[in-house]
Amino acid sequence: MRPFDYQRPARTAHAINVAASQDAGGIRVQYLAGGTILLDLMKLDVVRPSLLVDISRLEDAGLRGIDRVRGGLRFGALVTMAELAADRGVARDYPVITQSLQLGASAQLRNMASLGGNVLQRTRCSYFRDVSYRQCNKRTPGSGCAALDGHHRSHAVLGVSNACIAAYPGDWAQALIALDARIEVIGAAGGRSLRFADLHRLPGATPHVETVLAPGDLITGFFIPEGPWRRSCYVKIRDRASYAFANASAAVALVLDGDRVTDVRIGLGGVATVPWRAVTAEAVLRGHMLDEATAQRAADAEFAAASARDQNTFKVPLGKATMVRALLEAKALEIGE
Amino acid sequence: MDRVSDRGKAKLDKQQSPQVSRRHFLTASAAIGVLPAGVEIASAQQAIEPPAQLTRTITLNVNERRRAAEIDLRSTLLDVLRDKLSLTGSKMGCDHGQCGACTVHIDGKRQLACLTLSVSAEERDIVTIEGVASRERLHPMQQAFIDNDALQCGYCTPGQIMSAIACVREGHASNADEIREYMSGNLCRCAAYPNIVAAIEQAAPKMGRG
Amino acid sequence: MTRPTPPVPVPLSNMGQPVPRYQAADKVTGAQPYVADVPIANLLHARLVTSAIAKGRIVAIDDRAAALPGVVRIYTYLNAPRRIPPRHSSAGGRASDSRMPLASDMIEYGGQIVAMVVAETPEIARDAAQRLVVRYEEGPATATFDQRGATTSHPQPLARSAKQVGNFDEAYAAAPVRIDQRYSTPAQHHNTIELFSTTAVWEGDQLTLHESSRWVHNLANGIAETIGFPPEKVRVKSPFMGGSFGSRSFMMQHSGLVSLAARELGRPIKLLITRSQGYAIDTYRAETRQRVRLAAERSGNLVAFGHEGLELSSRPDNYSVAGTAHTAEMYGYGNVLTRVSLVHADRNTPGFMRSPAELPYMFALETAMDEMAIELNLDPVELRRINDTQLSPITGAPFTSRSLMKCFDQAAESFGWAKRNPVPGSMTDGDWQVGYGCAAASYPVLMQACAARIVLTPNGKARVEVAVHDVGAGAYTAMQQIAARELGLASQDVTVLLGDSRLPAGPPAGGSMTTASGGSAIFACAAKIRERFGGRMPRVREFSAAFERLNVNRIEEYTEWSPFGPAGMEAINNGRAFFPPPPPPGTTNPPRPVRFSFGANFVEVRIHRLTREIRVARITGAFEGGYIVNPRLARSQYMAGMIWGVASALHESTELDLIRARYVNDNLAEYLVAVSADIPQVDVIMVPEVDNQVNPIGVKGIGELSNVGTAAAVSNAVFHATGKRIRDLPITMDKLLTV
């Protein structure tokens, strides 16, 4: 870990200003919230900030609340995973959100990790995390991708490129992308809002550029439009029963009329380079009776574009099965008033 | 210029094999993409000199005592507890948030000391395994760990106990399945898991909640 | 579901008292000092840099990091202190790997030590280590089996794996029912939660090494040899260990380097090795490939057993587990033919890991037995019963005790085996397929020479000194209880000192031999103390008078107990691996009894019909172990061993990049050990058994045995649930998802 300076402002505006002013001096600034990802990667020497702006004590109320607002639900970016997971109202009305948080990481990490940091998790690809590997286009643009001919059991089959097949490792993002969430961002140029689905960028030829955020941008909040989505769930499939990254996951939100699908939202994880909205599958399902065969057809359609290599071929049948299982489990939910 | 300390250099001159080039090459860091909870701003091309202020003195509230320590800014709370405050009950098992052996309570919540920057723990209330009970009177969870033989080598035990106490206080100890799920962030390589679950079931009612 | 076993079992016949673990209060309060917790003044901190390639040479080192304020020295092969190269333990030496770090510019495996940074603080040491740039010339590396450059050998230590009885080929060919299958097991790492660390402290020419070691006499003697000092100048302190499971068995490569660096720099040095560096610093369980051939009559009577194994080792060292030596003893096969070969690749040298030979080889045998039962349409338990034997199938000698079928019957009863529908795929619970499986466990009863000292005082207190090691299994408690029993004292009045090379020498904490060896030494030493009192211990309240009659205020006795004569004790004193010599030919009439312990494991698995993840719902194990010193601690170990077996069956695998020959999941997030949620219910049955022949205290060992049978029981249960036989561990969902 390289030496760095440390500042702990109390107001968001101050934090943004610090980041912006230091930017001019060629200093590499990094916001620090829960630290669960940043400290990990700094210890590995993957990330080398020269200034940490600790945002964990920012006092602005908008960064903390879990609020029902007009037209939906809003969470501040500094709300921890555990805090949101413990909210009973959210658990009742948006089970997919609660479950995707509860099934992530461990109780300790959920107490630390902020929602804003959560969506910016970096891949678990060994070649990215271990700087002794020369090849990693994500870490060192143009250096190549060791995973292509190396070990890639955990890697993605959707959204991959010749430059990168690293999987997005998070869980909660699948719920966000399924529910058409929006995020609020403040930067040097002021505040803006964007679709969560537009936050992450496919690796393409530039896997080192993972999001559309500009230098100094700070995620301040999340907004879930519409809802409630009581017929929703998150299914996470992993090699051990807990405290493990997903081999495949599916966030599903359904509206049924009898057995007929009037609305469906599906986010997929573990199988893709970014939080993955299964629009193809949704189109297959919408307006049809939901049964296992239809769900399977939808899954087949979504994964028709999948591109697997030797060790991760299982992610195609697994990704499909996970989606089918999540759809059937959502359908089977007993929805109370 | 080669910069090895004098003694090393003396040796080196004698032993250096002729084929080896000790020419320096760039240690330039790669540009890094967008990072969690923030952004990489401007990628400096050359190595940055260490900031003038590498160390600073901080005050931590640990086990209801205010403790001052001169710390390297890069040190974690775990490093400071162990190396500066002689509180070695919290263990390092991975240093990357993967094992739970360093679990402490920060403002009443179980967190990982290895992923907490020490300077960012200022003004927080920190409780470590040393603050749970005095030797004469064990916390009910500690006693339950002994009664149920919920440990073998004991290395992960402080983290297990800190996690277990929090698990009960959070209300996540209502049945064995829930305990197992909410204790899965604490690895026990000796695999005392069923006994740990039994210990938590024993201690929970004695802690007044559960 | 059956009720959980009570945490404090009621002692049955031939069991000691279930007293709580020794010094448990220190463990639950954080007061127990592990080696990295020992406060040392004026300490320097070290950090390793390990190689980014598996084969080649170093062509340049940019060590500008040495100029960072606070960096004291960066050691590379160019300036490393001179050491004497150690020999591997299999070649009569004491090292876990014969290659000495920083010895040359050659790189022989991934993760090899290429530099050690010494600095004023750990933060500076890490920073400098990360800034150090090593440039390599890379050659093609061989990661494992079936790759270009892998070579095969049959070194002498493997002779024990080759067994031949009768005519296998003929019997196999003539049999009506045959199984011929191939199995594989992966590389695995111990991953104790305690990290590797070494602190070297010199006082004058006296070195004290604080290093977690499960064989302090090996490490102290090994360090002395490699740094060229007399053994009495080196002391190793490892009183408390954060687990072992076979790690820390022999001298690791870094210890001598740290020792000499501390001497050269004139200050104590603490080296902390990261989790990922640890994967190549010590040993690991090597991957195996196996072929099992079993032949039987229609009645189920086995007539031929063939077992061949391939094990991976490093280029220079011949580490092997030769597990067919044990599988050949398992059933009354009639004709036997077994053999193991070594395959050498560009890897660090493997070594012991819990049940080193038995876990991989019994997995293959016990899965093959299940396959044979299916072929014969027999209950798998009955197939074992038909072929159970009280005589060694190799030598014809009797087992000192063998309660295998008692274990099967008691475990089957408790588990509810009778409720199983034997048709594969026939049992379901909602969307989950349910499978039952069982397998046998066996482990040889091992022991080594051991010395012990007991000091007794008139106040009724005793101190026991013996350099065995508590890896977590409970050696402190066992030694305390054996001494208390033999001296007629209360357990709490016996203090125990372990894990220090200044104490009377003991064997490594491996092979489940600590209680047998240390306990027998204490047993013998206590007998000498009783002799002082005329052959019978006085009651504690009569101690004062008795001591007065002897005109002493303390009684101290030292004993060396060796089942293998003076050579056995000498080896232990010197910290060298000792294998008792085989009896000379022609002298084995009657043949010497064979010593094994046995158990039976039953497992219920659940597999989701769509997503195919495998979860263990419950495990039942019944084990016999001769005298059980402490049923509370014994139960914990049996339980833990079975949980290890679940992890071996379903999770644990060190993954290799086959091109770069490096470990890729070298951390606890990607190398999956079991977590609490994986283990719903574990039932332990301790089958009472008396074995008066096996050793003076009649104990047979627990820790290794408990880990042997579960993996095959899981694989057999997966077959029962799905009809799909997975012969390659670990059994992960990808193997059930892809055809």
Side-chain angles (χ1 to χ4, degrees), chain A residues 118-163:
Chain A
N118 177 290
V119 299
L120 296 175
Q121 286 179 72
R122 311 296 298 273
T123 183
R124 300 296 305 184
C125 174
S126 302
Y127 306 101
F128 169 74
R129 290 174 54 82
D130 184 339
V131 297
S132 72
Y133 289 104
R134 269 183 296 115
Q135 292 174 298
C136 175
N137 287 323
K138 195 182 271 299
R139 181 162 39 77
T140 311
S143 61
C145 173
L148 294 178
D149 64 2
H151 191 80
H152 51 249
R153 179 178 183 266
S154 63
H155 287 63
V157 296
L158 293 171
V160 298
S161 74
N162 291 332

Side-chain angles (χ1 to χ4, degrees), chain A residues 1 8 23 27-31 40 43 46 48 54 57 108 111-112 120 122 139 208 211 215 217 242-243, chain B residues 29-30 32-35 37-39 41-42 95-98 103 110 114 119-120 122 124 181 184 186:
Chain A
M1 194 191 295
R8 194 166 62 216
D23 181 23
I27 303 289
R28 292 164 300 182
V29 181
Q30 191 75 51
Y31 294 122
D40 174 38
K43 289 180 183 190
V46 173
R48 300 167 179 175
D54 185 343
R57 315 285 177 98
Q108 292 95 313
N111 276 337
M112 303 168 71
L120 296 175
R122 311 296 298 273
R139 181 162 39 77
H208 60 292
T211 72
D217 278 354
S242 186
Y243 201 15
Chain B
S29 60
I32 300 166
V34 175
L35 292 166
V39 188
I41 294 176
D95 211 20
H96 288 274
Q98 301 166 354
T103 302
R110 48 174 159 166
C114 81
V119 65
S120 69
E122 282 182 301
R124 305 291 200 200
E181 171 59 30
S184 282
N186 291 80

Side-chain angles (χ1 to χ4, degrees), chain C residues 526-541:
Chain C
K528 283 174 82 172
I529 290 195
R530 287 198 301 270
E531 284 304 310
R532 299 280 292 271
F533 293 109
R536 202 163 149 267
M537 284 300 290
R539 291 165 194 276
V540 174
R541 62 172 182 274

Side-chain angles (χ1 to χ4, degrees), chain C residues 95-109:
Chain C
S96 60
D97 193 312
S98 60
R99 289 161 294 193
M100 202 170 69
L102 310 189
S104 79
D105 59 347
M106 300 303 295
I107 301 297
E108 299 181 56
Y109 57 90

Side-chain angles (χ1 to χ4, degrees), chain A residues 177-195:
Chain A
I177 201 161
L179 301 185
D180 277 334
R182 298 187 68 81
I183 60 170
E184 301 159 11
V185 176
I186 296 182
R192 67 189 194 278
S193 158
L194 61 150
R195 293 173 56 213

